[in-house]
Amino acid sequence: MISVFWHRRDLRIDDNHGLAKIAEKYTNVLPIFIFDTTILEELEADDKRVSFIYLSLKKLKKKYQALGSDLFVLKGKPLDVLKQLNKNHSIQAIYTNRDYEPYAISRDREVAQWASEYEIDFQTFKDHVMFEKDEINVDGRPYKVYTPYSKKWKAELGIIPEYNLNAEALNFELKQSLPSLESVGFREVLGVAPKVQLDDATLYNYAENRNLPAKAATSNLGVYLRFGNTSIRKMVKLAKAKSEVFLNELIWREFFMTIMWFYPESATHELKTQYRGIPWENNEDYFDAWRQGKTGFPIVDAGMRQLNETGMMHNRVRMITASFLVKDLCIDWRWGEAYFAKKLMDFELSSNVGNWQWAAGTGTDAAPYFRVFNPTSQQEKFDPKFEYIKKWVPEFNTASYPSSIVNHKEAREKILALYKTHLNT
């Protein structure tokens, strides 16, 4: 008989809650990772995130091997894979860490039902966040505004645990060669692992420099938190010691997860119901220009080209590009959310939806709909020397750079009138 630890969004051994728990109770622990075909079939063959996961699995496998164990990398629909594994080896327990996205919840519900039928001990653990589901609430209801949520979050934090592994439990002797990425159906993309910057200079100066896209002043931690290469508990300890503003960014992530937990419909519908049914223009030529970084607004174009090439975009520029799509081009926020979901290395459904609804004025933000970013003034404030723009838009200020596809002043007046009319009908 074997016990299975199922890695998902926790591609590490150290400070791994579920892994530590199964090693406390069981022996013959087999760590596995399943390339979920339900997810993979929605992706393109050169998706950068799959290459990042594969690179992470290579490193994780070596760490297990150094402990005399191994990581099994499998492919298929998770329930089918687990059923086959049970036939081959007779599973007594499956432990894993919780995932809060709608698909993951339904997937785990199916696995739990099957495991119960076969008397398999199936347990899930909180590992991806400090506070999950409805743990931070006000009288049983969710906070819909970030500031009071963050105050309650900090007040409730307390002592941060660390989960240490009993490596002796990893004594299952079966070994497996790592399948090729091609056998999974994907092509390797190089340069998908951004360099994490958690040095003192970055953290101590984070508040001052984080809004300047030309500076290497952010942590690049997003994708590592997304796939759990690093422990959120360790990052919170670090942030508490060195940067309150960086800690606040980590809290934003959990705030949006809480909103998604309470309001799963917000993934596809405006959180503020009065904003549903806005008659977006959805001009496909404008959308194509935005996607390609050819709008004639250099800060917007630089951001979109950075995204397309690297799978990353500076957070300040994410706000600018999102506001521009919705408020200047009058395009449904869901179009932008879906494009970011396809391209972002650090894509988190809750954060992506939350931030796009923030840009559209339809989500949790207390500010009314009439906040519209001026892309020119944003550039003047955050990239005054055009350093970021020149890096990603080399033809800027030449005859080959396109002219502006809209007039910002006119577009702003138009979108504000559209919102006002919709809300008054």
Side-chain angles (χ1 to χ4, degrees), residues 343-400:
K343 293 290 185 179
L344 279 173
M345 288 277 293
D346 62 0
F347 166 70
E348 290 264 15
L349 178 64
S350 55
S351 294
N352 202 44
V353 167
N355 282 311
W356 272 96
Q357 292 223 36
W358 181 90
T362 62
T364 61
D365 190 46
Y369 65 87
F370 45 75
R371 179 190 54 220
V372 182
F373 280 13
N374 182 322
T376 301
S377 60
Q378 289 283 308
Q379 174 268 310
E380 291 170 349
K381 184 174 182 180
F382 298 113
D383 190 32
K385 297 180 180 179
F386 296 91
E387 295 168 277
Y388 176 74
I389 288 167
K390 289 176 182 176
K391 178 178 179 179
W392 295 106
V393 189
E395 79 276 21
F396 171 66
N397 243 356
T398 71
S400 59

Side-chain angles (χ1 to χ4, degrees), residues 9 29 128 175 207 214 259 334 365:
R9 297 174 60 169
V29 174
H128 198 57
K175 307 298 180 185
I259 293 296
R334 281 163 283 250
D365 190 46

